[in-house]
Amino acid sequence: MKRTNIEEKLVLARRSGKPSETILNEVRTILEELEEEREKIQKNLKNTSGKFPNSYNPELLDSEKIFHIEQVKKICVDYRLRFLDSKLFKGTIPEEAISKIRLLENEHRTELMGFKVLAPSKMFKLKDKDDPMLFAPIGNGYYYLIHKWGNDLHPLRRLLMWPFKNIINLALFILFLSYFLTLLIPEGLFSKSSSIGEFGILFFFMFKSIAAVVIYYGFAQGKNFSNAIWNSRFVNT
């Protein structure tokens, strides 16, 4: 007996239904509607700020993807990231994120707006004065994580950015670095016998030198601490 070819059966079933031209017109209409929806989403990503409350069906939300603004702020400060409107993001929002937004909109029967992106400063179009995440606001300081893309952050980024969290961390870092560099100075370099007083003088000199360089660099480059810039759209702030 001849084996059954399912594709042939499908073709025969299609012939008994609507004409091919009608099917093509319906498919063309569906694709055009999909394209219009995607263009609308891309427009909302580029033109709206994060001040719009969105309407959700609570039963359909994933609790693992809901974050409060204080939690977002903590991560931004720890890893020196920024949480800004998606219209300031100069990278490319992947098509997968667009698809997820469209799926959410269809599930919740709403139009999402006010998107936010969590990423390093270099990935935003900041005004003068490696791991993006796209959020949509829920309300009362809560945000819903829609999509994450790109590479993960360097495992040592939190440690490297620790001195820039606040002025206390920076002062402690300068003290530790000054002490470490003072220990590297050979004994008897400036006198035949070393003493606690000499070590203290060298440590004080090293501390002043490093502090002067840090202060000069900070003022010259207009840098500020992470807890002050995490949600700022300005470069020099």
Side-chain angles (χ1 to χ4, degrees), residues 111-142:
E111 180 180 354
L112 297 179
M113 303 182 74
F115 299 98
K116 292 275 193 176
V117 173
L118 173 66
S121 300
K122 63 182 180 180
M123 302 196 72
F124 290 100
K125 301 173 185 176
L126 301 178
K127 299 179 180 179
D128 289 332
K129 179 224 183 219
D130 292 275
D131 182 31
M133 302 172 73
L134 180 66
F135 293 81
I138 296 177
N140 292 331
Y142 286 96

Coordinates of all heavy atoms in Angstrom, one line a residue, residues 111-142:
E111 N -2.6 49.1 25.5 CA -1.5 49.6 24.8 C -0.5 50.1 25.8 O -0.7 51.0 26.6 CB -1.9 50.8 23.9 CG -0.7 51.4 23.1 CD -1.2 52.5 22.2 OE1 -2.4 52.8 22.1 OE2 -0.3 53.2 21.6
L112 N 0.7 49.4 25.8 CA 1.7 49.7 26.8 C 2.5 51.0 26.4 O 2.8 51.1 25.2 CB 2.7 48.5 26.9 CG 2.1 47.2 27.5 CD1 3.1 46.2 27.5 CD2 1.5 47.5 28.8
M113 N 2.8 51.8 27.3 CA 3.6 53.0 27.1 C 4.5 53.3 28.3 O 4.4 52.6 29.3 CB 2.6 54.2 26.8 CG 1.7 54.0 25.7 SD 0.6 55.4 25.4 CE 1.8 56.6 24.6
G114 N 5.3 54.3 28.1 CA 6.2 54.7 29.3 C 7.3 53.8 29.6 O 7.7 53.5 30.7
F115 N 7.9 53.2 28.5 CA 8.9 52.2 28.7 C 10.2 52.7 29.3 O 10.6 53.9 29.1 CB 9.3 51.5 27.4 CG 8.1 50.8 26.8 CD1 7.4 51.4 25.8 CD2 7.8 49.5 27.2 CE1 6.3 50.7 25.2 CE2 6.7 48.9 26.6 CZ 5.9 49.5 25.6
K116 N 10.9 51.9 30.1 CA 12.2 52.3 30.7 C 13.2 51.2 30.3 O 12.9 50.1 30.1 CB 12.1 52.3 32.2 CG 11.2 53.5 32.8 CD 12.0 54.8 32.9 CE 11.3 55.8 33.7 NZ 12.1 57.0 34.0
V117 N 14.5 51.7 30.3 CA 15.6 50.8 30.0 C 16.6 50.9 31.1 O 17.0 52.0 31.5 CB 16.3 51.1 28.6 CG1 17.5 50.2 28.4 CG2 15.3 50.8 27.5
L118 N 17.1 49.8 31.6 CA 18.2 49.7 32.6 C 19.5 49.3 31.9 O 19.5 48.2 31.4 CB 17.8 48.7 33.7 CG 18.9 48.4 34.7 CD1 19.2 49.6 35.6 CD2 18.4 47.2 35.6
A119 N 20.5 50.1 31.9 CA 21.7 49.9 31.1 C 22.8 50.8 31.6 O 22.5 51.8 32.2 CB 21.5 50.0 29.6
P120 N 24.1 50.5 31.2 CA 25.2 51.5 31.5 C 25.0 52.8 30.8 O 24.3 52.9 29.8 CB 26.4 50.7 30.9 CG 26.0 49.3 30.9 CD 24.6 49.3 30.6
S121 N 25.6 53.9 31.3 CA 25.4 55.2 30.8 C 25.8 55.3 29.3 O 25.1 56.1 28.6 CB 26.3 56.2 31.6 OG 26.0 56.2 32.9
K122 N 26.8 54.6 28.9 CA 27.2 54.7 27.5 C 26.2 54.3 26.5 O 26.3 54.6 25.3 CB 28.5 53.9 27.3 CG 28.3 52.4 27.5 CD 29.7 51.7 27.3 CE 29.5 50.2 27.5 NZ 30.7 49.4 27.3
M123 N 25.1 53.6 26.9 CA 24.1 53.1 26.0 C 22.9 54.1 25.8 O 21.9 53.8 25.2 CB 23.6 51.7 26.4 CG 24.7 50.7 26.5 SD 24.1 49.0 26.6 CE 23.6 48.8 24.9
F124 N 23.1 55.3 26.5 CA 22.0 56.3 26.4 C 22.4 57.5 25.7 O 23.6 57.9 25.7 CB 21.5 56.6 27.8 CG 20.7 55.5 28.5 CD1 21.4 54.8 29.4 CD2 19.4 55.3 28.2 CE1 20.7 53.7 30.1 CE2 18.7 54.3 28.8 CZ 19.4 53.5 29.8
K125 N 21.5 58.2 25.0 CA 21.7 59.5 24.5 C 21.5 60.6 25.6 O 20.4 61.0 25.8 CB 20.8 59.8 23.3 CG 20.8 58.8 22.2 CD 19.7 59.0 21.2 CE 19.7 58.0 20.1 NZ 18.5 58.2 19.2
L126 N 22.6 60.9 26.3 CA 22.6 61.8 27.4 C 22.8 63.2 27.0 O 23.6 63.5 26.1 CB 23.6 61.4 28.5 CG 23.4 59.9 29.0 CD1 24.5 59.6 30.0 CD2 22.1 59.7 29.6
K127 N 22.2 64.1 27.7 CA 22.3 65.5 27.4 C 23.5 66.1 28.3 O 23.8 65.6 29.3 CB 21.0 66.3 27.8 CG 19.8 65.8 27.0 CD 18.6 66.6 27.4 CE 17.4 66.2 26.6 NZ 16.2 66.9 27.0
D128 N 24.1 67.2 27.8 CA 25.1 67.8 28.5 C 24.5 68.6 29.7 O 23.6 69.2 29.6 CB 25.9 68.8 27.6 CG 26.8 68.1 26.6 OD1 27.2 66.9 26.9 OD2 27.0 68.6 25.6
K129 N 25.0 69.0 30.7 CA 24.9 69.7 32.0 C 25.3 68.9 32.7 O 24.7 69.4 32.5 CB 23.7 70.1 32.6 CG 23.8 70.7 34.0 CD 23.4 70.7 35.0 CE 23.3 71.2 36.3 NZ 23.2 70.8 37.4
D130 N 26.4 46.3 29.7 CA 26.5 45.7 28.5 C 25.4 44.8 28.5 O 25.2 44.3 27.6 CB 27.8 45.3 28.6 CG 28.9 46.4 28.7 OD1 29.2 46.8 27.8 OD2 29.3 46.8 29.5
D131 N 24.3 45.5 29.1 CA 23.3 44.5 29.5 C 22.0 45.2 29.7 O 21.5 45.3 30.8 CB 23.8 43.8 30.8 CG 22.8 42.7 31.3 OD1 22.2 42.1 30.4 OD2 22.6 42.5 32.5
P132 N 21.3 45.6 28.6 CA 20.1 46.4 28.7 C 18.9 45.5 29.2 O 18.8 44.3 28.9 CB 19.9 46.9 27.3 CG 21.1 46.6 26.6 CD 21.7 45.5 27.2
M133 N 17.9 46.1 29.9 CA 16.7 45.5 30.3 C 15.6 46.4 30.1 O 15.7 47.6 30.5 CB 16.8 45.0 31.8 CG 18.0 44.1 32.1 SD 18.2 43.8 33.9 CE 16.8 42.7 34.2
L134 N 14.5 45.9 29.5 CA 13.4 46.8 29.1 C 12.2 46.6 30.1 O 11.8 45.5 30.4 CB 12.9 46.5 27.7 CG 11.7 47.3 27.2 CD1 12.1 48.7 27.0 CD2 11.2 46.7 25.8
F135 N 11.7 47.7 30.7 CA 10.6 47.7 31.6 C 9.4 48.5 31.2 O 9.6 49.4 30.4 CB 11.1 48.2 33.0 CG 12.1 47.4 33.7 CD1 13.5 47.5 33.3 CD2 11.8 46.6 34.7 CE1 14.4 46.8 34.0 CE2 12.7 45.8 35.4 CZ 14.1 45.9 35.0
A136 N 8.3 48.2 31.7 CA 7.1 49.0 31.5 C 6.5 49.3 32.9 O 6.5 48.4 33.7 CB 6.0 48.3 30.6
P137 N 6.0 50.5 33.1 CA 5.5 50.9 34.4 C 4.2 50.2 34.7 O 3.3 50.0 33.9 CB 5.4 52.4 34.4 CG 5.2 52.7 32.9 CD 6.0 51.7 32.2
I138 N 4.0 49.8 36.0 CA 2.7 49.3 36.5 C 2.0 50.3 37.3 O 0.8 50.5 37.1 CB 3.0 48.0 37.4 CG1 3.6 46.9 36.5 CG2 1.7 47.5 38.0 CD1 3.9 45.7 37.3
G139 N 2.7 51.0 38.2 CA 2.1 52.0 39.0 C 2.6 51.9 40.4 O 3.1 50.8 40.8
N140 N 2.5 53.0 41.2 CA 3.0 53.0 42.6 C 4.5 52.6 42.7 O 4.8 51.9 43.7 CB 2.1 52.2 43.5 CG 0.7 52.7 43.6 OD1 0.5 53.9 43.6 ND2 -0.3 51.9 43.8
G141 N 5.3 53.0 41.8 CA 6.7 52.6 41.8 C 7.1 51.2 41.4 O 8.2 50.9 41.5
Y142 N 6.1 50.5 40.8 CA 6.4 49.1 40.4 C 6.6 49.1 38.9 O 5.9 49.8 38.1 CB 5.3 48.1 40.8 CG 5.3 47.8 42.2 CD1 4.5 48.5 43.1 CD2 6.2 46.8 42.7 CE1 4.6 48.2 44.5 CE2 6.2 46.5 44.1 CZ 5.4 47.2 44.9 OH 5.4 46.8 46.3

